[in-house]
Amino acid sequence: MAGLPERAEISPTADLTAAAPEAAAAELPPEIVAQSLGEYFRAYGGRIRAGESGVLPVVVAMVAIVVVFQAISPNNVYLSAGNVVNLFQQSAVIMVLAMAEGFALVLGEIDLSVGFVGACGAAITVQLVQPATTNWPWPLAIVAGLLFCLAFGAIQGLLITLLRLPSFIVTLGGFLVANGLFLKILLFGPFSGYPNLIGQTDNLHVIYYLMWGTIDPTTSWIGAGVVVAGLGALIWWSDSRRRGSGLVAPPASISLIKIGVVAVVAIVVVAICNVNRANLGTLEGVPWVIPIVLAVLAAWTILLQRTKYGRYVYAIGGNPEAARRAGINLTLIRTTGFMLCSFTAGVGMLLYGSYLNGMSNNVQGGQYVLYAVAAAVIGGTSLMGGRGRPLHGVLGGLVIGAIYNGMYLMGLQFEWQYIVTGLVLLAAIVIDAVSRRGSGSGSATRV
Amino acid sequence: MTAAVAEPRATAEPLLKVRELDKHFGPVQALYHVDLDLPSGQVTALCGDNGAGKSVLTKCIAGAYQADHGQVFWEGQPVHIHNARDASRLGIETVYQDLALADNLDIVQNMFLGRERLRTGLLDEDAMERAAAETLASLRVTTVKSIRQPVASLSGGQRQSIAVAKAVMWNSKLVIMDEPTAALGVVQTRQVLDLIKRLRDKGLAVMVISHNLNDVFEVADRIAVMYLGRLVVQAPASSFDRQSVVDFMTTGGSSRTGGRTARES
């Protein structure tokens, strides 16, 4: 029997269920094994112990940050309505940039150019609405800025996919090119170097209001009610339909808890925003920027979770070879991923331009890239590709904004903000690496 | 008529016939005048030492390579398979050794990858989940805890089962499996061998590439052996014993009784 492997005969009655490793049980999302509320929480506990904790760590971190800063901030101003709304506004830019970076990260790539590419788009918009020069209507100016971002993303994406260049290097080059272009764009026009939004035209007002405009309190409540009702109905309808047809579905109590969480968050946010937070006069209502961020979150969540395109993005991030064999056009999906990344960055930096009331060469595009990556990873997006949601970018952006804001209130300047944000990023990445090692997954071979 | 004379179950035209297939890579002749029959409702084991040409032959059938010469007949009709899409259109699905599953997606998502069902432009998860569950039930793949668990949490045998289920889901008529038991333990090998038998019982043609003669003799109805780019023998499994298969694999011929060559008629 020249070198033939001999194998013991197997009893045909061997217990086949024994083949499933016990360890796997802990990795299952709780909603797919649990039939009741108690089971659900037990399964969730098992998952946390196995390192698959979803958004829980970032929520815990957020609570810890809030408690600490509330305790130590001067006059406990941290949780005052004025500061919380300010914190939302500061975080909004990082949230949107982190959602942008999410496209690259889920594909298993990275985009270092988001800060300055977005800044170029925003600078184009701000220049085009200047009454002294072009005086374009604001929608056209915004479209022009975002089109620039799409084109820049397309060039980077094609270089990465067609020539198979590493995204790290291509977008590093793109970062420098965009930095230079940004400074060039600023030089046009009468406010050479510092195009701003100061002035009385409606065009300038709209761009300025993206960050600073508020919705009046009554409308805020109505809007929140509509959002909660719509989202709640959607959750309830889809969950109960799945329960009815015998598919894997969470128990009814979990659906109700999900709807309850959405409602509580909405009520708390609107209640805080509707407090008059001005020292003099009236400043109340939900800032425009909150529905803008929510709209980006909703659009990208639907795109990534509910469409073929999103499914392919995750498949490429998880196993590009499997995606290729399934007939997926890797070049197309990857390139459009980089385009959407740059596009979303344009939205984020437009909000930043609005926040700064104009664009100038003080814009820290390089620093914002790092915050964007950090926010996505802190929120739970994996750097190895295949895992991450737009919601992670929003939560991570809130954490970074909360640290930034708290340290600013303490009078600690940039040195300490950098150090603490960096440490939080390291903590997040350690959690990501440890949980991946625990689950034993990860096949990111590049095709 | 060719070798079919010796095979009572294959009185009809074989599902796939390969005739005089040649393939070379530069100066290396990888396939030389290969003839192969794959009848429906039977498991054909393709054996051969490393470098004998098993993978090249498989890839020519699956559309990954183009043969230089020779013909392929599908249900009696000559066909040209230019790529994997052509192959799946005919009903040929290949399960490669690395399985090509995305770890981060769940079972349903993997089974429908690239062929998702839509409703009003969005993914129709409910319909896909029901269809995947039906396929798994029909193959009696029952060890997975939930159809919604990520593939990362599956055992090797379960992954193989999912890859096979993914292949048979699309009304495929021929399933080609490359070393399906190579990386598996005893119990999981049993699962996969049972699954192969179930495919045969459903009337599919199955081709299994394997080095493991225990597995070959357990599941194969027919055995074909390649040696240095030639298909040296194909015949019913009952006409071989282990030693004759080893002889064919290592020397291209056998002095022992039993093995009849495909060209004897």
Side-chain angles (χ1 to χ4, degrees):
Chain A
M1 302 295 291
L4 284 175
E6 273 301 333
R7 181 179 292 184
E9 280 301 314
I10 313 153
S11 146
T13 56
D15 179 11
L16 295 187
T17 54
E22 280 306 306
E27 287 174 24
L28 298 182
E31 60 269 25
I32 65 177
V33 283
Q35 297 304 316
S36 75
L37 194 58
E39 281 179 43
Y40 189 92
F41 282 115
R42 273 194 296 281
Y44 196 65
R47 243 179 119 207
I48 291 165
R49 282 190 296 278
E52 287 274 324
S53 40
V55 297
L56 191 70
V58 67
V59 172
V60 170
M62 193 65 213
V63 170
I65 290 165
V66 167
V67 168
V68 168
F69 280 122
Q70 174 65 6
I72 64 175
S73 61
N75 303 324
N76 295 348
V77 73
Y78 191 73
L79 280 184
S80 67
N83 191 55
V84 170
V85 174
N86 190 20
L87 192 159
F88 284 151
Q89 289 173 320
Q90 289 169 337
S91 309
V93 177
I94 303 174
M95 289 174 178
V96 178
L97 289 179
M99 285 192 269
E101 193 65 51
F103 279 101
L105 293 181
V106 171
L107 280 168
E109 312 275 353
I110 196 163
D111 188 340
L112 297 177
S113 70
V114 287
F116 275 118
V117 172
C120 283
I124 289 171
T125 304
V126 171
Q127 289 284 23
L128 286 176
V129 294
Q130 292 300 327
T133 53
T134 40
N135 199 17
W136 282 26
W138 62 268
L140 273 183
I142 290 179
V143 167
L146 294 179
L147 279 179
F148 169 86
C149 295
L150 274 178
F152 204 99
I155 294 168
Q156 292 191 133
L158 287 173
L159 286 172
I160 291 163
T161 52
L162 292 183
L163 300 181
R164 307 232 175 142
L165 303 176
S167 55
F168 185 90
I169 300 298
V170 170
T171 59
L172 187 60
F175 164 83
L176 292 170
V177 171
N179 192 350
L181 280 177
F182 172 64
L183 297 174
K184 278 286 182 198
I185 294 166
L186 292 181
L187 293 179
F188 290 102
F191 304 99
S192 182
Y194 301 91
N196 59 51
L197 298 170
I198 298 165
Q200 290 305 314
T201 72
D202 287 345
N203 267 341
L204 295 177
H205 275 161
V206 170
I207 307 284
Y208 175 74
Y209 280 154
L210 292 178
M211 187 58 90
W212 297 108
T214 53
I215 305 165
D216 73 80
T218 316
T219 317
S220 299
W221 280 119
I222 295 170
V226 169
V227 168
V228 170
L231 207 56
L234 197 66
I235 292 173
W236 183 256
W237 176 71
S238 73
D239 282 359
S240 62
R241 203 174 42 128
R242 290 178 63 82
R243 274 193 295 275
S245 56
L247 298 170
V248 170
S253 44
I254 290 295
S255 305
L256 287 175
I257 289 175
K258 280 194 243 172
I259 297 168
V261 168
V262 171
V264 167
V265 169
I267 290 169
V268 168
V269 168
V270 175
I272 290 173
C273 293
N274 279 353
V275 172
N276 184 359
R277 49 188 185 271
N279 294 325
L280 287 169
T282 313
L283 176 59
E284 56 187 8
V286 173
W288 287 19
V289 68
I290 290 182
I292 292 173
V293 171
L294 289 181
V296 175
L297 172 67
W300 291 164
T301 300
I302 291 170
L303 181 71
L304 284 173
Q305 308 291 328
R306 293 278 173 263
T307 69
K308 269 190 177 190
Y309 176 80
R311 181 63 42 82
Y312 295 168
V313 168
Y314 284 101
I316 291 172
N319 186 344
E321 175 60 21
R324 193 182 61 72
R325 288 209 203 127
I328 295 169
N329 184 338
L330 270 69
T331 307
L332 181 70
I333 305 285
R334 277 192 178 129
T335 306
T336 45
F338 278 99
M339 290 170 72
L340 289 171
C341 176
S342 297
F343 174 87
T344 315
V347 175
M349 291 309 277
L350 183 62
L351 293 178
Y352 191 48
S354 174
Y355 185 79
L356 295 179
N357 202 6
M359 284 311 247
S360 79
N361 54 17
N362 289 326
V363 169
Q364 297 293 310
Q367 185 188 333
Y368 267 85
V369 172
L370 302 184
Y371 280 158
V373 177
V377 173
I378 288 169
T381 302
S382 171
L383 280 174
M384 320 296 171
R387 296 200 310 188
R389 289 159 172 255
L391 181 63
H392 293 163
V394 169
L395 294 175
L398 197 58
V399 167
I400 291 188
I403 295 170
Y404 187 89
N405 176 290
M407 304 200 71
Y408 187 78
L409 287 182
M410 298 293 300
L412 296 170
Q413 282 304 322
F414 292 100
E415 309 86 331
W416 283 105
Q417 291 169 17
Y418 291 157
I419 290 171
V420 172
T421 310
L423 291 177
V424 172
L425 171 64
L426 288 177
I429 218 170
V430 166
I431 292 170
D432 177 47
V434 169
S435 75
R436 282 191 77 84
R437 216 164 290 147
S439 67
S441 61
S443 49
T445 45
R446 210 181 140 78
V447 179
Chain B
M1 289 298 283
T2 55
V5 181
E7 296 170 33
R9 287 170 72 179
T11 47
E13 184 80 11
L15 179 69
L16 183 99
K17 279 197 305 187
V18 170
R19 288 293 174 268
E20 303 270 308
L21 212 63
D22 283 335
K23 174 77 187 169
H24 63 83
F25 297 97
V28 180
Q29 191 78 23
L31 296 180
Y32 186 77
H33 286 347
V34 169
D35 290 355
L36 178 68
D37 290 351
L38 297 175
S40 292
Q42 296 195 35
V43 178
T44 305
L46 184 63
C47 304
D49 207 351
N50 289 338
K54 306 185 297 290
S55 294
V56 179
L57 176 59
T58 311
K59 286 181 174 171
C60 285
I61 296 173
Y65 290 158
Q66 302 298 305
D68 300 326
H69 299 289
Q71 275 186 302
V72 177
F73 297 90
W74 180 256
E75 294 174 330
Q77 303 299 315
V79 289
H80 294 280
I81 302 171
H82 296 289
N83 51 45
R85 290 253 152 163
D86 286 355
S88 3
R89 212 168 293 130
L90 292 174
I92 302 173
E93 294 286 340
T94 310
V95 181
Y96 289 102
Q97 214 170 338
D98 63 3
L99 302 182
L101 299 172
D103 273 353
N104 56 334
L105 300 184
D106 67 32
I107 292 173
V108 180
Q109 292 169 343
N110 265 294
M111 287 175 69
F112 276 90
L113 188 58
R115 313 189 225 204
E116 286 80 1
R117 287 192 195 164
L118 299 180
R119 195 180 48 197
T120 62
L122 300 180
L123 295 171
D124 189 351
E125 296 285 354
D126 297 5
M128 290 194 279
E129 187 171 328
R130 265 191 294 271
E134 276 168 26
T135 304
L136 290 180
S138 78
L139 296 172
R140 282 185 269 146
V141 177
T142 52
T143 63
V144 293
K145 275 212 172 62
S146 163
I147 194 165
R148 281 294 177 188
Q149 70 189 94
V151 164
S153 65
L154 299 179
S155 70
Q158 289 172 329
R159 286 160 164 263
Q160 186 80 44
S161 304
I162 299 306
V164 172
K166 180 183 176 186
V168 302
M169 199 160 179
W170 310 101
N171 297 321
S172 47
K173 296 173 179 166
L174 166 62
V175 175
I176 301 172
M177 302 171 75
D178 190 1
E179 297 277 2
T181 59
L184 301 184
V186 173
V187 178
Q188 299 177 3
T189 299
R190 162 68 35 202
Q191 284 179 322
V192 171
L193 295 182
D194 287 347
L195 183 57
I196 293 172
K197 291 177 192 166
R198 257 171 253 141
L199 296 184
R200 171 186 62 199
D201 296 344
K202 285 163 78 92
L204 275 72
V206 183
M207 181 162 89
V208 177
I209 299 176
S210 185
H211 279 108
N212 186 318
L213 292 190
N214 284 327
D215 294 353
V216 167
F217 276 100
E218 162 142 14
V219 297
D221 303 297
R222 303 172 69 252
I223 294 177
V225 182
M226 295 195 70
Y227 176 71
L228 300 181
R230 292 165 193 266
L231 198 113
V232 288
V233 59
Q234 62 174 324
S238 54
S239 57
F240 291 94
D241 60 19
R242 277 158 198 262
Q243 192 54 49
S244 63
V245 174
V246 173
D247 288 346
F248 278 114
M249 282 167 68
T250 51
T251 66
S254 175
S255 56
R256 293 171 68 93
T257 56
R260 280 166 292 199
T261 70
R263 296 172 187 281
E264 69 180 5
S265 53

